[in-house]
mmCIF file of all heavy atoms in Angstrom:
data_model
loop_
_atom_site.group_PDB
_atom_site.id
_atom_site.type_symbol
_atom_site.label_atom_id
_atom_site.label_comp_id
_atom_site.label_asym_id
_atom_site.label_seq_id
_atom_site.Cartn_x
_atom_site.Cartn_y
_atom_site.Cartn_z
ATOM 1 N N PRO A 52 -3.490 -12.933 42.259
ATOM 2 C CA PRO A 52 -2.892 -14.060 41.510
ATOM 3 C C PRO A 52 -2.655 -13.692 40.088
ATOM 4 O O PRO A 52 -3.352 -12.852 39.487
ATOM 5 C CB PRO A 52 -4.083 -15.124 41.604
ATOM 6 C CG PRO A 52 -5.356 -14.256 41.837
ATOM 7 C CD PRO A 52 -4.868 -13.116 42.703
ATOM 8 N N LEU A 53 -1.540 -14.184 39.524
ATOM 9 C CA LEU A 53 -1.129 -13.871 38.117
ATOM 10 C C LEU A 53 -2.196 -14.492 37.144
ATOM 11 O O LEU A 53 -2.638 -15.624 37.281
ATOM 12 C CB LEU A 53 0.252 -14.436 37.786
ATOM 13 C CG LEU A 53 1.379 -13.770 38.596
ATOM 14 C CD1 LEU A 53 2.684 -14.449 38.278
ATOM 15 C CD2 LEU A 53 1.469 -12.264 38.290
ATOM 16 N N ALA A 54 -2.535 -13.670 36.203
ATOM 17 C CA ALA A 54 -3.421 -14.146 35.136
ATOM 18 C C ALA A 54 -2.737 -15.187 34.350
ATOM 19 O O ALA A 54 -1.549 -15.036 33.991
ATOM 20 C CB ALA A 54 -3.919 -12.977 34.234
ATOM 21 N N PRO A 55 -3.380 -16.252 33.916
ATOM 22 C CA PRO A 55 -2.750 -17.236 33.151
ATOM 23 C C PRO A 55 -2.444 -16.615 31.711
ATOM 24 O O PRO A 55 -3.183 -15.818 31.257
ATOM 25 C CB PRO A 55 -3.797 -18.387 33.021
ATOM 26 C CG PRO A 55 -5.096 -17.595 33.283
ATOM 27 C CD PRO A 55 -4.812 -16.541 34.246
ATOM 28 N N PRO A 56 -1.376 -17.137 31.090
ATOM 29 C CA PRO A 56 -0.988 -16.617 29.813
ATOM 30 C C PRO A 56 -2.092 -16.960 28.792
ATOM 31 O O PRO A 56 -2.849 -17.972 28.891
ATOM 32 C CB PRO A 56 0.242 -17.383 29.435
ATOM 33 C CG PRO A 56 0.238 -18.626 30.350
ATOM 34 C CD PRO A 56 -0.451 -18.167 31.630
ATOM 35 N N PRO A 57 -2.338 -16.073 27.818
ATOM 36 C CA PRO A 57 -3.327 -16.305 26.794
ATOM 37 C C PRO A 57 -3.210 -17.581 26.013
ATOM 38 O O PRO A 57 -2.013 -17.895 25.700
ATOM 39 C CB PRO A 57 -3.345 -15.022 25.947
ATOM 40 C CG PRO A 57 -1.972 -14.498 26.078
ATOM 41 C CD PRO A 57 -1.535 -14.816 27.491
ATOM 42 N N THR A 58 -4.221 -18.199 25.745
ATOM 43 C CA THR A 58 -4.157 -19.429 24.909
ATOM 44 C C THR A 58 -4.386 -19.018 23.442
ATOM 45 O O THR A 58 -4.698 -17.892 23.098
ATOM 46 C CB THR A 58 -5.171 -20.439 25.350
ATOM 47 O OG1 THR A 58 -6.538 -19.828 25.039
ATOM 48 C CG2 THR A 58 -5.112 -20.783 26.869
ATOM 49 N N ILE A 59 -4.136 -20.032 22.548
ATOM 50 C CA ILE A 59 -4.403 -19.836 21.142
ATOM 51 C C ILE A 59 -5.851 -19.386 20.927
ATOM 52 O O ILE A 59 -6.155 -18.471 20.192
ATOM 53 C CB ILE A 59 -4.079 -21.092 20.336
ATOM 54 C CG1 ILE A 59 -2.520 -21.352 20.336
ATOM 55 C CG2 ILE A 59 -4.568 -20.965 18.930
ATOM 56 C CD1 ILE A 59 -2.214 -22.623 19.635
ATOM 57 N N SER A 60 -6.773 -20.064 21.654
ATOM 58 C CA SER A 60 -8.219 -19.662 21.551
ATOM 59 C C SER A 60 -8.442 -18.343 21.953
ATOM 60 O O SER A 60 -9.246 -17.505 21.315
ATOM 61 C CB SER A 60 -9.044 -20.737 22.326
ATOM 62 O OG SER A 60 -8.893 -22.038 21.963
ATOM 63 N N ASP A 61 -7.775 -17.884 23.024
ATOM 64 C CA ASP A 61 -7.948 -16.456 23.483
ATOM 65 C C ASP A 61 -7.534 -15.461 22.429
ATOM 66 O O ASP A 61 -8.176 -14.444 22.123
ATOM 67 C CB ASP A 61 -7.138 -16.183 24.740
ATOM 68 C CG ASP A 61 -7.726 -16.978 25.915
ATOM 69 O OD1 ASP A 61 -8.840 -17.337 25.964
ATOM 70 O OD2 ASP A 61 -6.912 -17.268 26.783
ATOM 71 N N GLN A 62 -6.353 -15.725 21.739
ATOM 72 C CA GLN A 62 -5.889 -14.825 20.770
ATOM 73 C C GLN A 62 -6.624 -14.841 19.481
ATOM 74 O O GLN A 62 -6.741 -13.836 18.772
ATOM 75 C CB GLN A 62 -4.357 -15.140 20.536
ATOM 76 C CG GLN A 62 -3.459 -14.835 21.748
ATOM 77 C CD GLN A 62 -3.689 -13.494 22.373
ATOM 78 O OE1 GLN A 62 -4.603 -13.287 23.222
ATOM 79 N NE2 GLN A 62 -2.841 -12.530 21.999
ATOM 80 N N ILE A 63 -7.201 -15.921 19.116
ATOM 81 C CA ILE A 63 -8.127 -16.021 17.980
ATOM 82 C C ILE A 63 -9.319 -15.198 18.210
ATOM 83 O O ILE A 63 -9.722 -14.332 17.421
ATOM 84 C CB ILE A 63 -8.473 -17.497 17.614
ATOM 85 C CG1 ILE A 63 -7.255 -18.303 17.128
ATOM 86 C CG2 ILE A 63 -9.565 -17.476 16.561
ATOM 87 C CD1 ILE A 63 -7.564 -19.776 16.952
ATOM 88 N N GLY A 64 -9.947 -15.276 19.347
ATOM 89 C CA GLY A 64 -11.047 -14.574 19.747
ATOM 90 C C GLY A 64 -10.809 -13.024 19.900
ATOM 91 O O GLY A 64 -11.663 -12.208 19.727
ATOM 92 N N ALA A 65 -9.486 -12.717 20.161
ATOM 93 C CA ALA A 65 -9.151 -11.247 20.436
ATOM 94 C C ALA A 65 -8.776 -10.594 19.093
ATOM 95 O O ALA A 65 -8.328 -9.388 19.116
ATOM 96 C CB ALA A 65 -7.972 -11.213 21.374
ATOM 97 N N GLY A 66 -8.932 -11.262 17.976
ATOM 98 C CA GLY A 66 -8.517 -10.699 16.724
ATOM 99 C C GLY A 66 -9.473 -9.694 16.231
ATOM 100 O O GLY A 66 -10.384 -9.159 16.970
ATOM 101 N N LYS A 67 -9.460 -9.333 14.860
ATOM 102 C CA LYS A 67 -10.338 -8.311 14.303
ATOM 103 C C LYS A 67 -10.974 -8.783 13.040
ATOM 104 O O LYS A 67 -10.342 -9.600 12.310
ATOM 105 C CB LYS A 67 -9.514 -6.997 14.098
ATOM 106 C CG LYS A 67 -8.382 -7.239 13.055
ATOM 107 C CD LYS A 67 -7.687 -5.865 12.828
ATOM 108 C CE LYS A 67 -6.632 -6.017 11.756
ATOM 109 N NZ LYS A 67 -5.891 -4.683 11.590
ATOM 110 N N LEU A 68 -12.189 -8.388 12.898
ATOM 111 C CA LEU A 68 -13.000 -8.695 11.679
ATOM 112 C C LEU A 68 -12.480 -7.892 10.492
ATOM 113 O O LEU A 68 -12.263 -6.695 10.569
ATOM 114 C CB LEU A 68 -14.426 -8.447 12.004
ATOM 115 C CG LEU A 68 -15.402 -8.810 10.871
ATOM 116 C CD1 LEU A 68 -15.456 -10.340 10.552
ATOM 117 C CD2 LEU A 68 -16.760 -8.253 11.215
ATOM 118 N N ILE A 69 -12.448 -8.585 9.306
ATOM 119 C CA ILE A 69 -12.190 -7.943 8.073
ATOM 120 C C ILE A 69 -13.466 -7.889 7.204
ATOM 121 O O ILE A 69 -14.002 -8.929 7.010
ATOM 122 C CB ILE A 69 -11.050 -8.539 7.204
ATOM 123 C CG1 ILE A 69 -9.817 -8.639 8.076
ATOM 124 C CG2 ILE A 69 -10.863 -7.934 5.928
ATOM 125 C CD1 ILE A 69 -8.739 -9.571 7.446
ATOM 126 N N LEU A 70 -13.904 -6.677 6.939
ATOM 127 C CA LEU A 70 -15.150 -6.606 6.157
ATOM 128 C C LEU A 70 -15.022 -5.448 5.217
ATOM 129 O O LEU A 70 -14.903 -4.209 5.725
ATOM 130 C CB LEU A 70 -16.374 -6.410 7.022
ATOM 131 C CG LEU A 70 -17.660 -6.214 6.293
ATOM 132 C CD1 LEU A 70 -18.024 -7.453 5.369
ATOM 133 C CD2 LEU A 70 -18.845 -5.977 7.286
ATOM 134 N N GLU A 71 -15.098 -5.568 3.966
ATOM 135 C CA GLU A 71 -15.003 -4.531 2.980
ATOM 136 C C GLU A 71 -16.029 -4.788 1.824
ATOM 137 O O GLU A 71 -16.192 -5.878 1.381
ATOM 138 C CB GLU A 71 -13.636 -4.485 2.306
ATOM 139 C CG GLU A 71 -12.464 -4.220 3.276
ATOM 140 C CD GLU A 71 -11.132 -4.276 2.631
ATOM 141 O OE1 GLU A 71 -11.019 -4.246 1.351
ATOM 142 O OE2 GLU A 71 -10.057 -4.298 3.337
ATOM 143 N N VAL A 72 -16.658 -3.747 1.506
ATOM 144 C CA VAL A 72 -17.676 -3.816 0.365
ATOM 145 C C VAL A 72 -17.369 -2.673 -0.649
ATOM 146 O O VAL A 72 -17.290 -1.497 -0.229
ATOM 147 C CB VAL A 72 -19.049 -3.775 0.787
ATOM 148 C CG1 VAL A 72 -20.108 -3.878 -0.309
ATOM 149 C CG2 VAL A 72 -19.415 -4.788 1.852
ATOM 150 N N ARG A 73 -17.192 -3.069 -1.879
ATOM 151 C CA ARG A 73 -16.875 -2.031 -2.949
ATOM 152 C C ARG A 73 -17.835 -2.117 -4.117
ATOM 153 O O ARG A 73 -17.793 -3.241 -4.785
ATOM 154 C CB ARG A 73 -15.467 -2.019 -3.453
ATOM 155 C CG ARG A 73 -15.135 -0.838 -4.392
ATOM 156 C CD ARG A 73 -13.641 -0.688 -4.507
ATOM 157 N NE ARG A 73 -13.056 -1.747 -5.438
ATOM 158 C CZ ARG A 73 -11.745 -1.728 -5.759
ATOM 159 N NH1 ARG A 73 -10.902 -0.929 -5.281
ATOM 160 N NH2 ARG A 73 -11.305 -2.672 -6.608
ATOM 161 N N ALA A 74 -18.721 -1.249 -4.286
ATOM 162 C CA ALA A 74 -19.636 -1.182 -5.469
ATOM 163 C C ALA A 74 -19.103 -0.202 -6.489
ATOM 164 O O ALA A 74 -18.724 0.883 -6.227
ATOM 165 C CB ALA A 74 -21.020 -0.784 -5.004
ATOM 166 N N ARG A 75 -19.204 -0.650 -7.797
ATOM 167 C CA ARG A 75 -18.665 0.222 -8.826
ATOM 168 C C ARG A 75 -19.512 0.079 -10.091
ATOM 169 O O ARG A 75 -19.957 -0.975 -10.545
ATOM 170 C CB ARG A 75 -17.238 -0.202 -9.154
ATOM 171 C CG ARG A 75 -16.663 0.511 -10.386
ATOM 172 C CD ARG A 75 -15.220 0.053 -10.663
ATOM 173 N NE ARG A 75 -14.352 0.510 -9.633
ATOM 174 C CZ ARG A 75 -13.161 -0.044 -9.404
ATOM 175 N NH1 ARG A 75 -12.792 -1.173 -9.993
ATOM 176 N NH2 ARG A 75 -12.371 0.440 -8.396
ATOM 177 N N TYR A 76 -19.639 1.244 -10.744
ATOM 178 C CA TYR A 76 -20.310 1.337 -12.054
ATOM 179 C C TYR A 76 -19.269 1.836 -13.000
ATOM 180 O O TYR A 76 -18.659 2.859 -12.851
ATOM 181 C CB TYR A 76 -21.509 2.232 -11.987
ATOM 182 C CG TYR A 76 -22.201 2.309 -13.440
ATOM 183 C CD1 TYR A 76 -22.863 1.207 -13.930
ATOM 184 C CD2 TYR A 76 -22.079 3.499 -14.148
ATOM 185 C CE1 TYR A 76 -23.498 1.336 -15.183
ATOM 186 C CE2 TYR A 76 -22.614 3.616 -15.426
ATOM 187 C CZ TYR A 76 -23.337 2.512 -15.984
ATOM 188 O OH TYR A 76 -23.865 2.555 -17.179
ATOM 189 N N GLU A 77 -19.017 1.078 -14.139
ATOM 190 C CA GLU A 77 -17.887 1.431 -15.070
ATOM 191 C C GLU A 77 -18.532 1.404 -16.513
ATOM 192 O O GLU A 77 -19.376 0.527 -16.826
ATOM 193 C CB GLU A 77 -16.850 0.400 -15.035
ATOM 194 C CG GLU A 77 -15.705 0.666 -16.069
ATOM 195 C CD GLU A 77 -14.505 -0.271 -15.869
ATOM 196 O OE1 GLU A 77 -14.427 -0.902 -14.848
ATOM 197 O OE2 GLU A 77 -13.663 -0.260 -16.763
ATOM 198 N N THR A 78 -18.181 2.391 -17.265
ATOM 199 C CA THR A 78 -18.636 2.533 -18.656
ATOM 200 C C THR A 78 -17.337 2.625 -19.514
ATOM 201 O O THR A 78 -16.368 3.241 -19.196
ATOM 202 C CB THR A 78 -19.487 3.717 -18.967
ATOM 203 O OG1 THR A 78 -18.779 4.913 -18.645
ATOM 204 C CG2 THR A 78 -20.789 3.617 -18.070
ATOM 205 N N VAL A 79 -17.391 2.057 -20.809
ATOM 206 C CA VAL A 79 -16.360 2.146 -21.724
ATOM 207 C C VAL A 79 -16.967 2.409 -23.105
ATOM 208 O O VAL A 79 -17.846 1.716 -23.587
ATOM 209 C CB VAL A 79 -15.564 0.840 -21.870
ATOM 210 C CG1 VAL A 79 -14.343 1.029 -22.736
ATOM 211 C CG2 VAL A 79 -15.066 0.427 -20.420
ATOM 212 N N ASP A 80 -16.490 3.443 -23.802
ATOM 213 C CA ASP A 80 -16.817 3.818 -25.063
ATOM 214 C C ASP A 80 -15.531 3.792 -25.885
ATOM 215 O O ASP A 80 -14.676 4.614 -25.709
ATOM 216 C CB ASP A 80 -17.407 5.259 -25.119
ATOM 217 C CG ASP A 80 -17.786 5.702 -26.578
ATOM 218 O OD1 ASP A 80 -17.657 4.928 -27.441
ATOM 219 O OD2 ASP A 80 -18.261 6.890 -26.689
ATOM 220 N N GLN A 81 -15.390 2.756 -26.735
ATOM 221 C CA GLN A 81 -14.193 2.462 -27.556
ATOM 222 C C GLN A 81 -14.532 2.551 -29.079
ATOM 223 O O GLN A 81 -15.692 2.232 -29.449
ATOM 224 C CB GLN A 81 -13.734 1.056 -27.177
ATOM 225 C CG GLN A 81 -12.287 0.768 -27.814
ATOM 226 C CD GLN A 81 -11.735 -0.494 -27.205
ATOM 227 O OE1 GLN A 81 -11.728 -0.655 -25.988
ATOM 228 N NE2 GLN A 81 -11.235 -1.393 -28.013
ATOM 229 N N THR A 82 -13.545 2.912 -29.849
ATOM 230 C CA THR A 82 -13.775 3.031 -31.317
ATOM 231 C C THR A 82 -14.386 1.748 -31.824
ATOM 232 O O THR A 82 -13.955 0.599 -31.575
ATOM 233 C CB THR A 82 -12.460 3.304 -32.033
ATOM 234 O OG1 THR A 82 -11.931 4.437 -31.545
ATOM 235 C CG2 THR A 82 -12.683 3.395 -33.531
ATOM 236 N N LYS A 83 -15.503 1.875 -32.544
ATOM 237 C CA LYS A 83 -16.290 0.719 -33.010
ATOM 238 C C LYS A 83 -15.638 0.116 -34.221
ATOM 239 O O LYS A 83 -14.929 0.672 -35.017
ATOM 240 C CB LYS A 83 -17.747 1.205 -33.342
ATOM 241 C CG LYS A 83 -18.483 1.825 -32.189
ATOM 242 C CD LYS A 83 -18.566 0.934 -30.975
ATOM 243 C CE LYS A 83 -19.418 1.590 -29.884
ATOM 244 N NZ LYS A 83 -18.771 2.699 -29.229
ATOM 245 N N THR A 84 -15.838 -1.267 -34.291
ATOM 246 C CA THR A 84 -15.321 -2.079 -35.479
ATOM 247 C C THR A 84 -16.505 -2.948 -35.939
ATOM 248 O O THR A 84 -17.632 -2.873 -35.392
ATOM 249 C CB THR A 84 -14.083 -2.910 -34.988
ATOM 250 O OG1 THR A 84 -14.593 -3.938 -34.095
ATOM 251 C CG2 THR A 84 -12.979 -2.079 -34.434
ATOM 252 N N ALA A 85 -16.195 -3.876 -36.871
ATOM 253 C CA ALA A 85 -17.272 -4.764 -37.388
ATOM 254 C C ALA A 85 -17.620 -5.731 -36.264
ATOM 255 O O ALA A 85 -18.751 -6.204 -36.255
ATOM 256 C CB ALA A 85 -16.649 -5.559 -38.532
ATOM 257 N N THR A 86 -16.677 -5.994 -35.329
ATOM 258 C CA THR A 86 -17.075 -6.886 -34.191
ATOM 259 C C THR A 86 -17.466 -6.134 -32.977
ATOM 260 O O THR A 86 -18.410 -6.427 -32.355
ATOM 261 C CB THR A 86 -15.813 -7.738 -33.802
ATOM 262 O OG1 THR A 86 -15.397 -8.466 -35.019
ATOM 263 C CG2 THR A 86 -16.107 -8.660 -32.723
ATOM 264 N N LEU A 87 -16.733 -4.983 -32.711
ATOM 265 C CA LEU A 87 -17.041 -4.226 -31.467
ATOM 266 C C LEU A 87 -18.078 -3.185 -31.856
ATOM 267 O O LEU A 87 -17.810 -2.134 -32.452
ATOM 268 C CB LEU A 87 -15.752 -3.502 -31.009
ATOM 269 C CG LEU A 87 -15.841 -2.818 -29.603
ATOM 270 C CD1 LEU A 87 -16.076 -3.795 -28.464
ATOM 271 C CD2 LEU A 87 -14.547 -1.976 -29.409
ATOM 272 N N LYS A 88 -19.311 -3.483 -31.390
ATOM 273 C CA LYS A 88 -20.413 -2.679 -31.853
ATOM 274 C C LYS A 88 -21.117 -1.722 -30.843
ATOM 275 O O LYS A 88 -21.779 -0.851 -31.123
ATOM 276 C CB LYS A 88 -21.559 -3.608 -32.468
ATOM 277 C CG LYS A 88 -21.091 -4.432 -33.635
ATOM 278 C CD LYS A 88 -22.173 -5.381 -34.095
ATOM 279 C CE LYS A 88 -21.633 -6.201 -35.323
ATOM 280 N NZ LYS A 88 -22.678 -7.165 -35.783
ATOM 281 N N ASP A 89 -20.939 -2.113 -29.441
ATOM 282 C CA ASP A 89 -21.633 -1.389 -28.455
ATOM 283 C C ASP A 89 -20.670 -0.893 -27.409
ATOM 284 O O ASP A 89 -19.559 -1.350 -27.253
ATOM 285 C CB ASP A 89 -22.662 -2.290 -27.792
ATOM 286 C CG ASP A 89 -23.758 -2.791 -28.797
ATOM 287 O OD1 ASP A 89 -24.211 -1.858 -29.447
ATOM 288 O OD2 ASP A 89 -24.082 -3.966 -28.796
#
Side-chain angles (χ1 to χ4, degrees):
L53 294 175
T58 65
I59 294 179
S60 299
D61 293 335
Q62 296 307 84
I63 291 175
K67 63 180 181 180
L68 178 68
I69 300 170
L70 177 61
E71 300 177 11
V72 180
R73 184 166 78 179
R75 172 181 291 156
Y76 179 71
E77 178 173 349
T78 64
V79 183
D80 179 2
Q81 188 170 315
T82 300
K83 304 302 185 290
T84 66
T86 302
L87 189 66
K88 300 178 181 180
D89 297 315

